Amino acid sequence: MSGQHQRLPLEVDPFRLATREEHLQGTIPLKQMKRLTSALLNDEGDVFIDVGFSVDINHVVLLTGQIKADTKLICQRCMEEMQLPIEIDFQLAFAKSEAEMERLPEGYEATLVEDTPIMLSDIIEDEILLALPTIPKHQDENCHSDKLAESWNKQQDIETNTENVKQDNPFDILASLKTDK
Ligand SMILES: [Zn+2]
């Protein structure tokens, strides 16, 4: 392998590339994945892929590899920015027809490809979408949740009010009225 970044093809024919055991390594701009970026805070950055096409012992055409990306989402608890580094190891099987899909042995994550070529970015985008949390949330210690802050403030207020009540005790007034008598 040369250390240089290979230029990734936009479109691929998994069945042809599998017979050649083609290996692809490189980056795809997040901008090319509109379905994904609509769920993200922005479309800046790249998705790094390191994948290989192959045919396994069951004669199933596979794409196996790793996807990495740094994404930014909105935390659904505090509605602030949240960094989510994504690292996915995946294996995807390709079937040419519904019948072939059904014939696949158990345990394959399969996708139907009736027309080739297909967009490489579509396959990768699907894998990332599957890996995204349905409700992204910060870890508790990183969350800027208003609710957490509010309950803290309320607690502080109650304590302050208790102090005030003590200083302005109505029984003190009663006591002074009594001595006046
Ligand atoms: Zn948060």
Side-chain angles (χ1 to χ4, degrees), residues 74-82 136-140 142-146 148:
I74 296 287
C75 166
Q76 292 306 302
R77 190 158 55 177
C78 68
M79 306 312 277
E80 287 192 32
E81 181 183 318
M82 169 187 161
K137 272 186 214 160
H138 283 118
Q139 305 255 315
D140 280 352
N142 298 331
C143 196
H144 317 280
S145 170
D146 284 335
L148 290 179

Side-chain angles (χ1 to χ4, degrees), residues 48-93:
F48 174 78
I49 68 164
D50 187 356
V51 297
F53 292 90
S54 62
V55 184
D56 75 359
I57 48 164
N58 297 317
H59 308 289
V60 179
V61 169
L62 297 175
L63 178 63
T64 313
Q66 198 178 51
I67 301 168
K68 283 185 194 172
D70 286 320
T71 62
K72 281 181 189 164
L73 292 94
I74 296 287
C75 166
Q76 292 306 302
R77 190 158 55 177
C78 68
M79 306 312 277
E80 287 192 32
E81 181 183 318
M82 169 187 161
Q83 308 257 3
L84 185 73
I86 285 176
E87 200 172 316
I88 308 165
D89 289 302
F90 75 102
Q91 185 170 73
L92 187 65

Side-chain angles (χ1 to χ4, degrees), residues 2-138:
S2 74
Q4 277 181 327
H5 254 183
Q6 174 189 353
R7 199 185 154 84
L8 292 173
L10 276 180
E11 297 179 321
V12 292
D13 179 343
F15 306 103
R16 226 185 47 195
L17 294 184
T19 60
R20 302 208 306 250
E21 300 214 318
E22 186 86 19
H23 181 242
L24 299 174
Q25 192 187 56
T27 55
I28 304 172
L30 266 175
K31 282 187 175 59
Q32 283 181 24
M33 303 182 182
K34 297 288 178 210
R35 284 176 299 141
L36 172 62
T37 54
S38 70
L40 302 179
L41 192 59
N42 61 38
D43 60 3
E44 287 160 26
D46 291 314
V47 178
F48 174 78
I49 68 164
D50 187 356
V51 297
F53 292 90
S54 62
V55 184
D56 75 359
I57 48 164
N58 297 317
H59 308 289
V60 179
V61 169
L62 297 175
L63 178 63
T64 313
Q66 198 178 51
I67 301 168
K68 283 185 194 172
D70 286 320
T71 62
K72 281 181 189 164
L73 292 94
I74 296 287
C75 166
Q76 292 306 302
R77 190 158 55 177
C78 68
M79 306 312 277
E80 287 192 32
E81 181 183 318
M82 169 187 161
Q83 308 257 3
L84 185 73
I86 285 176
E87 200 172 316
I88 308 165
D89 289 302
F90 75 102
Q91 185 170 73
L92 187 65
F94 297 96
K96 279 180 181 164
S97 63
E98 297 275 1
E100 204 181 302
M101 277 283 262
E102 277 162 32
R103 277 201 306 271
L104 281 177
E106 291 271 316
Y108 286 105
E109 180 199 335
T111 188
L112 183 63
V113 179
E114 283 172 312
D115 280 312
T116 52
I118 53 173
M119 294 288 290
L120 178 64
S121 60
D122 277 350
I123 310 170
I124 304 300
E125 186 173 17
D126 284 341
E127 289 299 320
I128 301 176
L129 282 168
L130 282 174
L132 281 187
T134 31
I135 302 171
K137 272 186 214 160
H138 283 118

